Amino acid sequence: PAQRRARQARRGGAVLDALEELEKGLVQGVAPGALRAELERLQRGREVTGDDGLDEVMREIDTRLAVEVAKLDRQLGKI
C-alpha cells in the first residue's frame, strides 16, 4: 500500500506537469502532438491506493487529464 501511494503521488505530479506543458503549448498556438503519447501513458498508470484522500485527489486529476486529452484529440483531428 505504501508503495502504491508513493507511485500515485509521483504520477499525480507528473500528470500536473504534463498538463502544464500542454497548456503552455496551446497558449503558444502549438498543438503538442508528441505530448499526446505521454498523456496516454499517464492515463494507463492509475491505481487505487486505499488512501481515501489521495484516491479522491487522483480521481480529480484523472478527470482533468481525460478532458484535456479529449480536447487535444479534437484539436489534432483524432475525433
Side-chain angles (χ1 to χ4, degrees):
Q3 290 177 348
R4 274 186 290 189
R5 283 192 299 271
R7 275 194 306 269
Q8 288 305 291
R10 283 191 303 274
R11 180 178 159 272
V15 169
L16 294 175
D17 290 345
L19 289 172
E20 186 175 331
E21 287 301 312
L22 175 62
E23 180 181 25
K24 287 178 188 176
L26 293 174
V27 166
Q28 295 172 357
V30 179
L35 186 56
R36 174 64 177 89
E38 175 66 8
L39 295 172
E40 189 174 290
R41 183 188 70 75
L42 289 166
Q43 277 184 308
R44 290 189 307 262
R46 183 164 191 239
E47 295 179 273
V48 175
T49 66
D51 177 324
D52 292 341
L54 178 57
D55 289 342
E56 177 61 29
V57 169
M58 291 307 300
R59 275 191 294 278
E60 292 176 18
I61 290 172
D62 287 334
T63 299
R64 167 104 188 276
L65 176 59
V67 167
E68 296 303 328
V69 166
K71 287 172 28 181
L72 180 59
D73 283 348
R74 197 163 109 192
Q75 182 174 358
L76 295 173
K78 291 186 176 186
I79 292 179

